[in-house]
Amino acid sequence: MASAPANNLPIFYNDLLPLSSVDHVDYRTRQIDSAPFLTTQHAIPLTIDEFVPAQRFAPIIFSAGTDSVPLLLMGLNEGVNIFVDEDGKLRGPAYVPAYVRRYPWMLAKLRPDSDDLSLCFDPTSPAIGAFEDGKPLFEDGKPSEQTQGVMKFCEDFEQAAARTSQFVRDLQELDLLMDGEVAIQTPVADQPFVYRGFRMINEEKLRDLRGDQLRKINQNGMLLLIHAHLFSLQLMREIFEAQVAQGKGPIAMPATAEATPEVAGA
């Protein structure tokens, strides 16, 4: 059974196998009510299609570096996710990014000399296997309705990811991204806790855009996405306070903290 290339696997994925009507003809998929892999992941890749619903629950920021990607900040400190408990179950209302809902599936190139994408899955996931229960992945040797639905979701995700990449390129062309910094003052410390290591929209440069540039980003929908990002940043303190309430806040002596280290494979 041939594995997809294992180098530079995206976050959450331990391995990738192409779905095969021969090797996996008896495989089924079943619902799981927890995501243990999410408990220590504080920054999740986000597509622009999700900005508006996601901004109500958590800050949307951009990863540091030249190849920035939007991220939903589910915790301010590395290894902290305030929205799930120790078992990976949601604590309450939250937005779960499509990146998470896609797992353990994804479309991947199996050959470096071809752009064709194949439906692959992480064989270490408890959601897929030769179970007696669950929904079959194949019926009469052909992809089942369940598998076709998974394929459609993954295709939609790839298209949204492509739109997101173009959105970031447009922001960079307009020089609207800058290094971010958030300082949170607490009554128990003399100095604020400072979070860096991410990028955000430069509001001053946004205000200084020429009329034709502003009109363009308004007409093509970018302005709405920019505002969703900026509004979501107001949730930084709420995330911080939730961390403290869960006993996962930073140490008593404040120090500069990296809010979002680079996310590999996003």
Side-chain angles (χ1 to χ4, degrees), residues 233-252:
L233 297 179
Q234 302 301 314
L235 296 173
M236 287 280 196
R237 175 169 284 278
E238 292 186 23
I239 300 297
F240 181 89
E241 291 175 349
Q243 283 189 185
V244 173
Q246 294 175 16
K248 301 175 181 178
I251 59 176

Side-chain angles (χ1 to χ4, degrees), residues 20-265:
S20 167
S21 60
V22 175
D23 297 323
H24 310 123
V25 65
D26 295 327
Y27 274 38
R28 294 173 176 266
T29 181
R30 60 187 179 187
Q31 292 283 354
I32 53 177
D33 61 357
S34 64
F37 56 85
L38 196 56
T39 58
T40 57
Q41 189 62 46
H42 72 302
I44 312 296
L46 196 71
T47 69
I48 57 173
D49 296 34
E50 305 173 90
F51 273 31
V52 172
Q55 58 92 23
R56 297 173 48 234
F57 296 95
I60 300 169
I61 49 87
F62 297 85
S63 62
T66 55
D67 297 324
S68 290
V69 295
L71 301 169
L72 190 67
L73 206 53
M74 304 184 82
L76 295 192
N77 292 84
E78 189 171 1
V80 176
N81 187 323
I82 68 162
F83 292 94
V84 295
D85 61 19
E86 289 73 14
D87 297 321
K89 295 184 178 181
L90 288 175
R91 295 179 181 272
Y95 182 82
V96 180
Y99 187 97
V100 177
R101 290 180 275 124
R102 179 185 61 162
Y103 182 81
W105 301 98
M106 73 175 297
L107 293 176
K109 289 196 296 185
L110 300 182
R111 296 171 50 185
D113 59 345
S114 173
D115 290 330
D116 292 338
L117 298 176
S118 298
L119 184 62
C120 300
F121 68 96
D122 185 345
T124 68
S125 169
I128 302 174
F131 311 130
E132 293 185 0
D133 61 329
K135 297 181 179 180
L137 295 177
F138 293 97
E139 294 177 338
D140 299 325
K142 298 180 180 180
S144 65
E145 183 177 347
Q146 173 70 16
T147 302
Q148 294 177 42
V150 168
M151 187 71 175
K152 178 65 164 58
F153 185 91
C154 289
E155 289 174 345
D156 290 346
F157 180 86
E158 291 299 321
Q159 293 170 7
R163 290 191 293 271
T164 303
S165 296
Q166 184 60 55
F167 170 70
V168 174
R169 287 194 294 270
D170 291 341
L171 291 178
Q172 292 171 332
E173 183 177 338
L174 292 168
D175 194 26
L176 288 179
L177 287 176
M178 70 175 187
D179 292 337
E181 180 177 305
V182 173
I184 298 178
Q185 185 70 60
T186 67
V188 297
D190 295 332
Q191 299 296 322
F193 292 91
V194 180
Y195 288 88
R196 301 190 182 100
F198 65 99
R199 306 199 79 194
M200 58 185 288
I201 295 293
N202 186 323
E203 293 188 62
E204 182 177 347
K205 288 188 176 182
L206 178 63
R207 290 191 296 268
D208 289 341
L209 287 178
R210 299 192 313 266
D212 61 318
Q213 293 174 319
L214 190 59
R215 182 166 57 253
K216 180 179 179 181
I217 67 171
N218 181 45
Q219 292 175 343
N220 65 16
M222 285 183 64
L223 191 58
L224 173 65
L225 301 173
I226 289 172
H227 285 154
H229 152 68
L230 291 173
F231 290 151
S232 75
L233 297 179
Q234 302 301 314
L235 296 173
M236 287 280 196
R237 175 169 284 278
E238 292 186 23
I239 300 297
F240 181 89
E241 291 175 349
Q243 283 189 185
V244 173
Q246 294 175 16
K248 301 175 181 178
I251 59 176
M253 290 299 293
T256 298
E258 292 298 315
T260 54
E262 186 175 349
V263 178

